[in-house]
Amino acid sequence: MWAKYIIIEHEDEFDFMADINNAVMGTAIFPENKYVVHDKAAGQYIYCTALQDNLRWGDLKSSAEKKTKEEWLEINPAYEPMLERVED
């Protein structure tokens, strides 16, 4: 942490200390993980078409729809075994 503290700008010192405090006190808010639906047997991902605003299957992971696990399960609970976590 000291190495990180040394390289941050003076204006960011308070935010850095607040982040440490929130992590130690258990009040830190972390972003929700995002998932894509990946059918490994078919090699397909679910994506959302912009014109029709509905879900389709396609080959490209980069254009796959990213949602939280809860959002996917609300759409269809059968997606659970196909959920694949993506990094932001």
Side-chain angles (χ1 to χ4, degrees):
M1 284 195 318
W2 178 253
K4 183 168 177 73
Y5 180 74
I6 293 295
I7 62 171
I8 63 173
E9 298 295 323
H10 178 69
E11 307 83 49
D12 299 326
E13 287 178 6
F14 180 78
D15 291 337
F16 180 70
M17 291 185 297
D19 289 344
I20 293 171
N21 180 64
N22 289 337
V24 170
M25 299 304 289
T27 58
I29 299 172
F30 298 99
E32 293 188 64
N33 293 325
K34 296 289 185 174
Y35 295 84
V36 295
V37 177
H38 180 202
D39 181 356
K40 293 178 178 97
Q44 302 264 309
Y45 296 89
I46 287 185
Y47 69 95
C48 186
T49 59
L51 296 176
Q52 297 172 337
D53 196 32
N54 58 8
L55 299 173
R56 304 276 183 176
W57 289 93
D59 297 336
L60 298 175
K61 183 176 183 176
S62 61
S63 51
E65 185 72 14
K66 296 168 185 72
K67 296 182 180 292
T68 64
K69 185 175 187 176
E70 293 76 22
E71 289 171 330
W72 280 120
L73 296 179
E74 284 178 16
I75 295 169
N76 188 343
Y79 290 155
E80 187 166 19
M82 294 185 275
L83 292 178
E84 189 174 284
R85 186 168 162 224
V86 292
E87 298 294 325
D88 289 333

